[in-house]
Amino acid sequence: MHAILHPPPASSSSKKTLPAVRYGGRCPQTGCERALRPTHEALSAAEELMDYLSTHRTKSDDFSTASLYEEANGKMFGVMVCRRQNGQRGVLHAFSGEWEGRKTPPGWVPSSGFLSEYEAERDRTEAEVDNFTQRIAELKEELPGTRALRRQIEELKIERGALSRALTERIHDAYRFENALGEVLPLRDVDTGGVRPPTGMGDCCAPKLVLYAIRQGLEPLSMIEFWWGASSRAHPRIEGHYYSACRSKCYPIMGFLLRGIDAAEVC
């Protein structure tokens, strides 16, 4: 499973009922909703991926799902059926967020962001933030807690917060979404209804799959997502169940990403 575009599923789930899930959002140009839905081919591909995940739970494996069973540490996984320009079909695999060690395992769609634009700065800044956190903890243990000491702690917190915000801004700058029409939407320009985009926006399965397909000249045909591992605390999930794209992080950008995709239904 090291090639990113995997072979189509060997078997068919054509007799099974397709889950009522969809992956889309509102188009910022037309106001219409666009969405991809699963097909039986996508469902079969998801079942094959589940089989693969279930047999790689040992920590000694090159690719291990063991950490997904730690408390609240499960992930959403997705598959997308695509077609090359020569008509050859294939399947893309994605997981939400980052993998352990932040390195994308072979055979999986990478992050939507241009990581090289901030990786070195993230490592450096996070080390500095850790140093601030350690210093704050040490000062809190000092007795007595004088006014000068409390003021020093607050100053350190302010400096730590400024570092974190600067890094967040740099990361946001590295996310720029493209669609099949050649249009580009910077993350900062996405209408989320808030002051700034939610953390991790663009790295859920649906946008990762669509964006990778577009960047590689592949035609998206269908997709489906499922949960694997321990349930999330904020949004309880069941392993092996299929879910639609999330409203907060996917919906605001999926309508843009699906512009120019023939398989995306418009409603």
Side-chain angles (χ1 to χ4, degrees), residues 240-262:
H241 279 226
Y242 298 104
Y243 295 91
S244 295
C246 67
R247 190 81 181 181
S248 60
K249 298 179 182 180
C250 295
Y251 187 86
I253 56 178
M254 284 296 289
F256 169 83
L257 289 175
L258 292 175
R259 281 173 54 79
I261 302 298
D262 291 341

Side-chain angles (χ1 to χ4, degrees), residues 14 39 49 62 86 108 130 165 186 194 205 215 224 249 262:
S14 58
T39 58
L49 181 55
D62 290 339
N86 63 7
W108 297 85
D130 288 343
R165 287 191 296 274
C205 293
R215 288 173 176 171
I224 194 167
K249 298 179 182 180
D262 291 341

